[in-house]
Amino acid sequence: MAEEIGTKDALEQVNSRLGTLEQDFRSLDAKMDARFDRMGTQLGTTTRWLVGLVFTSWFTMMASMASIWLKLGN
């Protein structure tokens, strides 16, 4: 009979610890989701800036080339 109570206590402890691990994993999952959301927002902002800079550089280069071609044509 002492073994049955010991086994029951051990199983209750295992159940309790598994519950704690499950809560820890849920907390970690929520934190990682929040971090990925922040990274996605930052990446979106960075991408917009890079696209804007590339477009501005391309536009400036094309305007300079057009100016040179017009001067050479005259």
Side-chain angles (χ1 to χ4, degrees):
M1 190 119 187
E3 284 184 14
E4 290 178 21
I5 294 173
T7 303
K8 182 181 176 187
D9 290 339
L11 290 176
E12 285 176 355
Q13 249 189 357
V14 168
N15 187 30
S16 173
R17 290 183 183 187
L18 286 175
T20 303
L21 282 174
E22 185 178 6
Q23 288 175 351
D24 290 347
F25 280 124
R26 285 182 181 169
S27 174
L28 180 62
D29 188 41
K31 288 178 185 177
M32 292 303 291
D33 284 344
R35 285 185 181 178
F36 280 125
D37 288 343
R38 278 197 316 253
M39 284 178 57
T41 302
Q42 289 173 349
L43 182 61
T45 302
T46 303
T47 303
R48 283 190 295 248
W49 273 99
L50 285 174
V51 168
L53 287 173
V54 168
F55 178 75
T56 303
S57 299
W58 176 80
F59 185 74
T60 303
M61 183 185 67
M62 294 306 282
S64 297
M65 288 175 63
S67 175
I68 292 169
W69 287 340
L70 288 173
K71 286 181 182 179
L72 289 177
N74 289 332

